[in-house]
């Protein structure tokens, strides 16, 4: 297990403790990819469910990019970056595909798609395993955006809790919330959007 995996696990725990049922979850539904001749963008249509405390909404996105991963990534940024501006810092740097063992010509084999992102001079990798490269990449991107959206929601909820605790002279709460906020800033910077 990598250090970044341990950091992300600690942050996942912090998000669950802080947001509880206010966290956002994405559940994949379908994806359609259309590619034409070389040199033209790849078009994707995809749908997933945005599940919150009070609703389950279908989100349908159409996007284009340099390959289906880039198209999904751009579609997600276009959909969410206005509401969650920290997402503008995420840059997709690399993706790799690997198989856990030997491929058998007569059976389906699982593949692992790993996506490496650069955020605020840090790099983080998210991975997903399934029997489809497309499904693994798609679910991986949904998980990545879900994670960073929840990080931003968590950060601002904690910031409000710190302000409230300071007004009540509750240094214990200020300390606990500040610690959680410092962990979140290891994953992504909120400096520009806090002004």
């Amino acid at each position: 297990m990598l250090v970044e995996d341990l950091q992300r696990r600690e942050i996942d725990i912090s998000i669950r403790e802080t947001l509880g049922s206010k966290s956002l979850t994405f559940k994949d539904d379908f994806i359609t990819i259309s590619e034409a001749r070389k040199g033209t963008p790849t078009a994707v249509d995809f749908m997933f469910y945005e599940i919150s405390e009070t609703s389950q909404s279908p989100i349908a996105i159409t996007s284009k990019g340099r390959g289906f991963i880039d198209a999904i990534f751009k579609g997600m940024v276009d959909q969410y970056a206005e509401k969650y501006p920290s997402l503008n810092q995420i840059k997709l740097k690399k993706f790799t595909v690997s198989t856990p063992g030997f491929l058998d010509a007569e059976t389906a084999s699982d593949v692992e798609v790993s996506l490496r992102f650069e955020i605020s001079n840090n790099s983080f990798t998210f991975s997903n395993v399934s029997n489809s490269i497309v499904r693994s990449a798609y679910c991986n991107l949904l998980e990545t955006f879900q994670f960073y959206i929840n990080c931003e929601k968590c950060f601002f909820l904690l910031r409000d809790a710190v302000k409230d605790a300071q007004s009540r002279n509750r240094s214990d709460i200020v300390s606990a919330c500040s610690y959680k906020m410092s962990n979140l800033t290891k994953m992504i910077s909120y400096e520009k959007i806090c002004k």
Side-chain angles (χ1 to χ4, degrees):
M1 182 172 286
L2 300 172
V3 172
E4 66 186 60
D5 293 327
L6 294 172
Q7 287 177 336
R8 196 162 48 241
R9 185 174 288 164
E10 184 177 354
I11 288 171
D12 277 331
I13 292 167
S14 182
I15 287 170
R16 281 195 302 276
E17 289 173 351
T18 305
L19 294 180
S21 61
K22 293 180 181 157
S23 66
L24 196 62
T25 303
F26 294 147
K27 181 169 180 1
D28 65 297
D29 190 18
F30 75 84
I31 181 167
T32 304
I33 301 168
S34 176
E35 293 184 318
R37 67 186 180 283
K38 185 178 178 181
T40 61
T42 300
V44 294
D45 292 298
F46 58 101
M47 191 176 98
F48 58 95
Y49 291 92
E50 181 183 295
I51 303 166
S52 67
E53 170 180 33
T54 57
S55 68
Q56 179 172 315
S57 306
I59 306 294
I61 297 175
T62 298
S63 185
K64 292 183 178 180
R66 296 182 64 195
F68 78 94
I69 292 175
D70 184 54
I72 298 167
F73 181 81
K74 286 179 177 177
M76 293 297 288
V77 169
D78 290 346
Q79 179 72 25
Y80 288 102
E82 186 175 334
K83 187 171 183 181
Y84 302 102
S86 66
L87 298 176
N88 287 312
Q89 298 174 54
I90 302 172
K91 305 296 180 220
L92 180 58
K93 293 311 254 181
K94 178 181 175 182
F95 80 92
T96 56
V97 178
S98 59
T99 57
F102 294 102
L103 291 175
D104 185 338
E106 296 180 4
T107 62
S109 295
D110 285 342
V111 293
E112 178 178 35
V113 174
S114 297
L115 301 174
R116 189 141 191 88
F117 299 92
E118 187 174 280
I119 304 121
S120 306
N121 297 322
N122 293 314
S123 292
F124 297 99
T125 302
F126 288 77
S127 298
N128 186 282
V129 176
S130 79
N131 62 357
S132 164
I133 292 171
V134 172
R135 172 107 5 228
S136 287
Y138 174 40
C139 291
N140 197 336
L141 284 162
L142 290 178
E143 181 183 336
T144 301
F145 277 84
Q146 171 187 298
F147 176 78
Y148 283 108
I149 286 169
N150 283 326
C151 281
E152 183 170 326
K153 289 176 70 164
C154 188
F155 180 86
F156 286 107
L157 191 66
L158 288 166
R159 186 185 70 170
D160 292 344
V162 165
K163 288 178 183 177
D164 177 65
Q166 286 171 332
S167 72
R168 296 183 294 122
N169 292 321
R170 291 293 310 268
S171 59
D172 56 330
I173 295 173
V174 170
S175 178
C177 290
S178 296
Y179 174 75
K180 288 180 180 180
M181 288 171 69
S182 70
N183 279 339
L184 289 168
T185 59
K186 291 176 186 173
M187 299 303 285
I188 198 163
S189 172
Y190 300 99
E191 184 178 359
K192 290 180 182 176
I193 60 175
C194 282
K195 295 179 181 179

